[in-house]
Coordinates of all heavy atoms in Angstrom, one line a residue:
L1 N 0.9 -1.2 -0.1 CA 0.0 0.0 0.0 C 0.9 1.2 0.1 O 1.9 1.3 0.7 CB -0.8 0.1 1.3 CG -2.0 -1.0 1.4 CD1 -2.5 -1.1 2.8 CD2 -3.0 -0.8 0.4
T2 N 0.4 2.3 -0.8 CA 1.1 3.5 -0.6 C 0.5 4.2 0.6 O -0.5 3.8 1.3 CB 0.8 4.5 -1.9 OG1 -0.6 4.7 -1.9 CG2 1.3 3.8 -3.1
D3 N 1.1 5.4 1.0 CA 0.6 6.1 2.2 C -1.0 6.4 2.0 O -1.7 6.2 2.8 CB 1.3 7.4 2.5 CG 2.7 7.0 3.0 OD1 3.0 5.9 3.5 OD2 3.6 7.9 2.9
S4 N -1.3 6.8 0.8 CA -2.7 7.2 0.5 C -3.6 5.9 0.6 O -4.6 5.9 1.0 CB -2.8 7.7 -0.9 OG -2.2 8.9 -1.1
G5 N -3.2 4.8 0.0 CA -3.9 3.6 0.0 C -4.0 3.1 1.5 O -5.1 2.6 1.8
K6 N -3.0 3.2 2.2 CA -3.0 2.8 3.6 C -4.1 3.6 4.4 O -4.8 3.1 5.3 CB -1.7 2.8 4.3 CG -1.6 2.2 5.6 CD -0.2 2.2 6.1 CE -0.1 1.6 7.5 NZ 1.3 1.5 8.0
A7 N -4.1 4.9 4.2 CA -4.9 5.8 4.9 C -6.5 5.4 4.5 O -7.3 5.4 5.4 CB -4.7 7.2 4.5
I8 N -6.7 5.2 3.3 CA -8.1 4.8 2.9 C -8.4 3.5 3.6 O -9.5 3.2 4.1 CB -8.3 4.8 1.4 CG1 -8.2 6.1 0.8 CG2 -9.5 4.1 1.0 CD1 -8.1 6.2 -0.7
A9 N -7.5 2.4 3.4 CA -7.8 1.1 4.0 C -8.0 1.2 5.5 O -8.9 0.5 6.0 CB -6.5 0.2 3.7
Q10 N -7.2 2.0 6.2 CA -7.3 2.1 7.7 C -8.7 2.7 8.1 O -9.3 2.3 9.0 CB -6.2 2.9 8.3 CG -6.1 2.8 9.7 CD -5.9 1.5 10.2 OE1 -4.9 0.8 9.9 NE2 -6.9 0.9 11.0
K11 N -9.1 3.8 7.2 CA -10.4 4.4 7.6 C -11.6 3.4 7.3 O -12.4 3.3 8.1 CB -10.5 5.5 6.5 CG -11.7 6.4 6.7 CD -11.6 7.6 5.8 CE -12.8 8.4 5.9 NZ -12.7 9.5 4.9
V12 N -11.5 2.6 6.2 CA -12.6 1.6 6.0 C -12.5 0.5 7.2 O -13.6 0.1 7.7 CB -12.4 1.0 4.6 CG1 -13.3 -0.1 4.5 CG2 -12.6 2.0 3.5
L13 N -11.3 0.0 7.5 CA -11.3 -0.9 8.5 C -11.7 -0.4 9.8 O -12.4 -1.2 10.7 CB -9.8 -1.4 8.7 CG -9.6 -2.6 9.5 CD1 -10.3 -3.9 9.1 CD2 -8.0 -3.0 9.6
D14 N -11.4 0.9 10.2 CA -11.9 1.4 11.4 C -13.4 1.5 11.5 O -14.1 1.1 12.4 CB -11.3 2.8 11.7 CG -9.9 2.8 12.0 OD1 -9.3 1.7 12.4 OD2 -9.2 3.9 11.9
K15 N -14.0 1.9 10.3 CA -15.4 1.9 10.3 C -16.1 0.5 10.5 O -17.0 0.3 11.2 CB -15.9 2.4 8.8 CG -15.9 3.9 8.7 CD -16.5 4.2 7.3 CE -16.5 5.8 7.1 NZ -17.2 6.1 5.8
H16 N -15.4 -0.4 9.8 CA -15.9 -1.8 9.9 C -15.9 -2.3 11.3 O -16.9 -2.8 11.9 CB -15.1 -2.8 9.1 CG -15.5 -4.2 9.2 ND1 -16.4 -4.7 8.4 CD2 -15.0 -5.1 10.0 CE1 -16.6 -6.0 8.7 NE2 -15.8 -6.3 9.7
H17 N -14.7 -2.0 12.1 CA -14.7 -2.5 13.5 C -15.7 -1.8 14.4 O -16.3 -2.4 15.2 CB -13.3 -2.3 14.0 CG -12.2 -3.2 13.5 ND1 -12.4 -4.5 13.4 CD2 -11.1 -2.9 13.0 CE1 -11.3 -5.1 12.9 NE2 -10.4 -4.2 12.6
R18 N -15.8 -0.5 14.2 CA -16.7 0.3 15.0 C -18.3 -0.2 14.8 O -19.1 -0.4 15.7 CB -16.6 1.8 14.9 CG -15.3 2.2 15.5 CD -15.3 3.7 15.5 NE -13.9 4.2 15.7 CZ -13.4 4.3 16.9 NH1 -14.1 3.9 17.9 NH2 -12.2 4.7 17.0
I19 N -18.6 -0.2 13.5 CA -20.0 -0.7 13.1 C -20.2 -2.0 13.6 O -21.3 -2.3 14.1 CB -20.2 -0.5 11.6 CG1 -20.2 0.9 11.2 CG2 -21.6 -1.2 11.2 CD1 -20.1 1.2 9.7
T20 N -19.3 -3.0 13.4 CA -19.5 -4.3 14.0 C -19.7 -4.3 15.5 O -20.7 -4.9 16.0 CB -18.3 -5.2 13.7 OG1 -18.1 -5.3 12.2 CG2 -18.4 -6.6 14.2
G21 N -18.9 -3.5 16.2 CA -19.1 -3.4 17.6 C -20.5 -2.8 18.0 O -21.1 -3.4 19.0
W22 N -21.0 -1.8 17.3 CA -22.3 -1.3 17.6 C -23.4 -2.4 17.4 O -24.3 -2.5 18.1 CB -22.5 -0.1 16.7 CG -21.6 1.1 16.9 CD1 -20.9 1.3 18.0 CD2 -21.3 2.1 15.9 NE1 -20.1 2.4 17.7 CE2 -20.4 2.9 16.5 CE3 -21.8 2.3 14.6 CZ2 -20.0 4.1 15.8 CZ3 -21.3 3.4 13.9 CH2 -20.4 4.3 14.6
L23 N -23.2 -3.1 16.3 CA -24.3 -4.1 15.9 C -24.2 -5.2 17.0 O -25.3 -5.7 17.4 CB -24.0 -4.7 14.5 CG -24.3 -3.7 13.4 CD1 -23.8 -4.3 12.1 CD2 -25.7 -3.2 13.4
L24 N -23.0 -5.6 17.4 CA -23.0 -6.6 18.5 C -23.5 -6.2 19.8 O -24.2 -6.9 20.4 CB -21.4 -7.1 18.7 CG -20.7 -7.8 17.5 CD1 -19.3 -7.9 17.8 CD2 -21.5 -9.2 17.4
K25 N -23.3 -5.0 20.1 CA -23.9 -4.4 21.4 C -25.3 -4.3 21.2 O -26.1 -4.4 22.2 CB -23.3 -3.0 21.6 CG -22.0 -3.0 22.2 CD -21.6 -1.5 22.5 CE -20.2 -1.5 23.2 NZ -19.7 -0.1 23.5
A26 N -25.9 -4.1 20.1 CA -27.3 -4.1 19.8 C -28.0 -5.5 19.8 O -29.1 -5.6 19.7 CB -27.7 -3.3 18.5
G27 N -27.1 -6.5 19.9 CA -27.6 -7.9 20.0 C -27.6 -8.7 18.7 O -28.3 -9.7 18.7
V28 N -27.1 -8.1 17.7 CA -27.0 -8.7 16.3 C -26.0 -9.9 16.5 O -24.9 -9.7 17.1 CB -26.6 -7.8 15.2 CG1 -26.5 -8.5 13.9 CG2 -27.6 -6.7 15.1
A29 N -26.2 -11.0 15.9 CA -25.3 -12.2 15.9 C -24.0 -11.8 15.2 O -24.1 -11.0 14.2 CB -25.9 -13.5 15.2
R30 N -22.9 -12.4 15.6 CA -21.6 -12.0 15.1 C -21.5 -12.2 13.6 O -21.0 -11.2 12.9 CB -20.5 -12.8 15.8 CG -19.1 -12.4 15.2 CD -17.9 -12.8 16.0 NE -17.8 -12.1 17.2 CZ -17.3 -10.9 17.4 NH1 -16.8 -10.2 16.4 NH2 -17.1 -10.4 18.6
D31 N -21.8 -13.3 13.1 CA -21.8 -13.5 11.6 C -22.6 -12.3 10.8 O -22.1 -11.8 9.8 CB -22.4 -14.8 11.2 CG -21.2 -15.9 11.2 OD1 -20.1 -15.6 11.5 OD2 -21.6 -17.1 10.8
K32 N -23.7 -12.2 11.3 CA -24.6 -11.2 10.7 C -24.0 -9.8 10.9 O -24.1 -8.9 9.9 CB -26.1 -11.2 11.2 CG -27.0 -10.3 10.5 CD -28.4 -10.6 11.0 CE -29.5 -9.8 10.2 NZ -30.8 -10.0 10.7
A33 N -23.5 -9.4 12.0 CA -22.9 -8.1 12.3 C -21.8 -7.9 11.4 O -21.5 -6.8 10.8 CB -22.6 -8.1 13.8
E34 N -20.9 -8.9 11.2 CA -19.7 -8.8 10.3 C -20.1 -8.5 8.9 O -19.6 -7.7 8.2 CB -18.8 -10.0 10.4 CG -18.1 -10.3 11.7 CD -16.9 -9.3 11.8 OE1 -16.4 -8.7 10.8 OE2 -16.3 -9.2 12.8
K35 N -21.1 -9.3 8.4 CA -21.5 -9.2 7.0 C -22.2 -7.8 6.8 O -21.9 -7.2 5.8 CB -22.5 -10.4 6.7 CG -21.8 -11.6 6.4 CD -22.8 -12.7 6.2 CE -22.1 -14.1 6.1 NZ -23.0 -15.2 6.1
E36 N -23.0 -7.4 7.6 CA -23.7 -6.1 7.6 C -22.7 -5.0 7.7 O -22.8 -3.9 7.0 CB -24.9 -6.0 8.4 CG -26.0 -7.1 8.0 CD -27.3 -6.9 8.8 OE1 -27.4 -6.1 9.7 OE2 -28.2 -7.7 8.4
A37 N -21.8 -5.1 8.6 CA -20.8 -4.0 8.8 C -20.0 -3.8 7.5 O -19.7 -2.7 7.1 CB -19.9 -4.3 10.0
C38 N -19.6 -5.0 6.9 CA -18.9 -4.9 5.6 C -19.7 -4.1 4.5 O -19.1 -3.4 3.7 CB -18.6 -6.3 5.1 SG -17.3 -6.3 3.8
R39 N -21.0 -4.3 4.5 CA -21.7 -3.4 3.5 C -21.9 -2.0 4.0 O -21.8 -1.1 3.2 CB -23.1 -4.1 3.4 CG -23.0 -5.5 2.7 CD -24.3 -6.3 2.5 NE -25.2 -5.5 1.8 CZ -26.5 -5.6 1.7 NH1 -27.1 -6.4 2.6 NH2 -27.3 -4.9 0.9
M40 N -22.2 -1.7 5.3 CA -22.4 -0.4 5.8 C -21.1 0.5 5.7 O -21.3 1.7 5.5 CB -22.9 -0.5 7.2 CG -24.3 -1.2 7.3 SD -24.8 -1.7 9.0 CE -25.1 0.0 9.7
E41 N -20.0 -0.1 5.9 CA -18.8 0.6 5.9 C -18.5 1.5 4.7 O -17.8 2.4 4.7 CB -17.6 -0.3 6.2 CG -17.2 -1.1 5.1 CD -16.3 -2.3 5.4 OE1 -16.3 -2.7 6.6 OE2 -15.7 -2.8 4.5

């Protein structure tokens, strides 16, 4: 990754982790939370 590519990738990955966490806290099953976070990010 270039610095620009790494910055974009990190931003997407951070969104993914946070959204997954929110969905898990809301009671969504882990598999479903991961898949939906991947779309929402």
Side-chain angles (χ1 to χ4, degrees):
L1 294 168
T2 63
D3 289 341
S4 297
K6 188 174 180 179
I8 292 169
Q10 191 62 59
K11 186 175 175 180
V12 173
L13 187 59
D14 289 345
K15 280 184 178 181
H16 179 85
H17 287 312
R18 291 191 193 280
I19 293 168
T20 300
W22 299 336
L23 294 172
L24 290 171
K25 283 184 179 181
V28 176
R30 177 163 293 279
D31 270 3
K32 188 174 185 179
E34 287 284 347
K35 286 177 186 171
E36 291 186 358
C38 194
R39 293 176 64 203
M40 294 167 71
E41 71 197 23

